[in-house]
């Protein structure tokens, strides 16, 4: 994950805030200066906050949980959708449906209704209804797809939400806070950073600024997903080489020498049964005391007589 640089933010215009008369006093720690009546954001603090938010989002993605992106303003909706889709994360870019989080069960019903319409449209019965009814069903399906299509795979509440403009998406922030869902957001000088858990001070009106910040957090999420995939593949590979004793206790690599002793004992029993060796011959061999190492998953084995 490449670290965000001061120059990148400067080129994107992330330092431009709002007019002084529109500022929120709680943003004072993130304001560098005032120029021509406009507040200038301290980009060094923006860099630090992006890194902090990225690390937190990376861990959430690595745990396999979903992060919901919210950006319904005109200059952000298209670019956010394009950036979030490859990461396979849910997003809302049209209109925030009231109760999206606090009344999640109802939203899920609407999503299931969309799935049932899809099933109906592929069935032979769809051709038997009137043209007007087909048109109504098709329009309803298009409306549901526009508003809820991007969250169709969201089967439970997200682990966190990322908001582009907390002033415009104040309902989403309020619902997340009510449910104690961690909030990440780009906050401008007219916003209250205390309303979110991970504020990122930056220009939330310029497309370049929004794209840069969202791209950085998406890179962190994708890195978390890659690490999760690697860990799962490694765990699967380790399970393929696992062995178990007669009691169903897993034998680790550190116990292979012990298992080798058991294999030799089983081979000896087969030779005795076949008449190739007498039981008395065992006493002539040096005895090997086998004990299970601490943490091996079971009680120590007693020495064989």
């Amino acid at each position: 994950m490449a670290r965000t640089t001061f120059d990148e933010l400067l080129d994107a215009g992330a330092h431009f805030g709002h007019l002084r008369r529109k500022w929120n006093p709680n943003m004072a720690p993130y304001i560098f200066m005032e120029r021509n009546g406009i507040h200038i954001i301290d980009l060094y603090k923006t860099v630090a906050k992006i890194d902090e938010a990225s690390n937190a989002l990376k861990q959430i993605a690595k745990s396999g949980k979903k992060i919901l992106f919210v950006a319904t303003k005109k200059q952000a909706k298209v670019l956010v959708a394009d950036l979030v889709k490859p990461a396979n994360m849910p997003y809302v870019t049209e209109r925030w449906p009231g109760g999206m989080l606090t009344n999640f069960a109802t939203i899920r019903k609407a999503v299931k209704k969309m799935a049932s319409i899809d099933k109906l449209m592929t069935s032979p019965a769809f051709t038997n209804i009137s043209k007007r009814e087909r048109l109504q069903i098709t329009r309803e399906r298009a409306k549901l797809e526009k508003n809820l299509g991007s969250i169709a795979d969201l089967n439970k509440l997200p682990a966190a939400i990322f908001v582009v403009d907390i002033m415009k998406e104040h309902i989403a922030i309020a619902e997340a806070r009510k449910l104690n869902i961690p909030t990440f957001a780009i906050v401008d000088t007219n916003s209250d950073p205390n309303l979110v858990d991970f504020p990122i001070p930056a220009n939330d009106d310029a497309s370049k600024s929004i794209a840069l910040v969202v791209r950085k957090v998406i890179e962190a999420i994708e890195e978390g997903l890659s690490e999760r995939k690697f860990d799962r593949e490694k765990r699967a590979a380790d399970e393929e080489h696992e062995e178990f004793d007669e009691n169903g206790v897993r034998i680790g690599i550190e116990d292979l020498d012990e298992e080798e002793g058991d294999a030799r004992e089983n081979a000896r029993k087969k030779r005795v049964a076949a008449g190739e060796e007498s039981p008395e011959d065992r006493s002539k061999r040096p005895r090997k005391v086998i004990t299970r190492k601490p943490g091996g998953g079971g009680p120590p084995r007693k020495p064989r007589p």
Side-chain angles (χ1 to χ4, degrees), residues 244-282:
F244 298 84
D245 62 15
E246 65 276 7
N247 297 320
V249 178
R250 186 175 65 84
I251 303 171
I253 295 176
E254 69 278 3
D255 297 322
L256 288 181
D257 291 340
E258 176 186 332
E259 183 64 14
E260 182 182 355
D262 290 342
R264 291 180 180 178
E265 176 64 16
N266 291 333
R268 187 194 69 80
K269 290 179 180 179
K270 290 181 180 179
R271 289 196 299 270
V272 171
E276 299 174 359
E277 181 179 334
S278 64
E280 291 77 13
D281 291 339
R282 183 183 181 191

Side-chain angles (χ1 to χ4, degrees), residues 75-298:
Q75 61 268 45
K77 58 195 307 183
V78 175
L79 64 89
V80 168
D82 292 340
L83 291 170
V84 175
K85 279 181 183 177
N88 197 28
M89 289 293 171
Y91 58 90
V92 175
T93 56
E94 289 300 327
R95 180 186 65 85
W96 177 264
M100 165 80 181
L101 300 178
T102 54
N103 196 15
F104 188 71
T106 302
I107 299 297
R108 284 303 305 164
K109 288 180 181 179
V111 174
K112 290 179 180 179
K113 183 178 181 181
M114 185 169 60
S116 65
I117 292 176
D118 289 339
K119 186 177 180 180
L120 173 63
M121 293 175 69
T122 56
S123 67
F126 187 69
T127 58
N128 296 331
I129 61 178
S130 65
K131 183 177 180 180
R132 180 179 180 182
E133 289 177 325
R134 288 200 303 268
L135 182 60
Q136 290 176 341
I137 293 173
T138 303
R139 287 176 176 174
E140 184 179 8
R141 173 64 178 81
K143 183 179 179 180
L144 289 171
E145 174 65 30
K146 181 179 180 180
N147 295 326
L148 303 175
S150 58
I151 60 169
D153 297 331
L154 189 63
N155 298 320
K156 59 182 180 180
L157 287 172
I161 68 169
F162 185 97
V163 176
V164 169
D165 185 346
I166 65 174
M167 295 287 287
K168 184 173 180 58
E169 318 298 348
H170 63 279
I171 299 177
I173 294 294
E175 290 189 26
R177 284 167 59 87
K178 186 175 183 179
L179 298 174
N180 294 322
I181 297 175
T183 51
F184 299 74
I186 302 176
V187 293
D188 213 327
T189 56
N190 66 333
S191 306
D192 185 359
N194 297 331
L195 295 177
V196 293
D197 301 308
F198 294 87
I200 300 176
N203 185 347
D204 63 6
D205 294 313
S207 298
K208 288 185 178 180
S209 175
I210 297 171
L212 177 60
V213 175
V214 174
R215 189 181 302 113
K216 292 298 180 181
V217 298
I218 289 294
E219 288 176 1
I221 290 172
E222 290 178 339
E223 186 173 334
L225 293 173
S226 298
E227 291 184 7
R228 174 179 172 80
K229 182 180 179 181
F230 175 79
D231 291 344
R232 293 178 66 181
E233 291 176 350
K234 184 176 183 299
R235 194 180 308 117
D238 291 342
E239 289 176 356
E240 289 180 1
H241 295 87
E242 284 184 349
E243 296 184 25
F244 298 84
D245 62 15
E246 65 276 7
N247 297 320
V249 178
R250 186 175 65 84
I251 303 171
I253 295 176
E254 69 278 3
D255 297 322
L256 288 181
D257 291 340
E258 176 186 332
E259 183 64 14
E260 182 182 355
D262 290 342
R264 291 180 180 178
E265 176 64 16
N266 291 333
R268 187 194 69 80
K269 290 179 180 179
K270 290 181 180 179
R271 289 196 299 270
V272 171
E276 299 174 359
E277 181 179 334
S278 64
E280 291 77 13
D281 291 339
R282 183 183 181 191
S283 61
K284 300 177 183 179
R285 298 182 180 180
R287 291 187 299 171
K288 181 179 180 181
V289 178
I290 301 173
T291 58
R292 183 173 293 275
K293 296 185 178 181

Side-chain angles (χ1 to χ4, degrees), residues 57-92:
L57 290 169
K58 176 182 174 181
Q59 294 304 316
I60 293 174
K62 189 175 180 180
S63 66
K65 298 177 181 178
K66 293 292 186 179
I67 301 158
L68 176 64
F69 284 76
V70 185
T72 61
K73 61 195 308 180
K74 184 178 179 180
Q75 61 268 45
K77 58 195 307 183
V78 175
L79 64 89
V80 168
D82 292 340
L83 291 170
V84 175
K85 279 181 183 177
N88 197 28
M89 289 293 171
Y91 58 90
V92 175

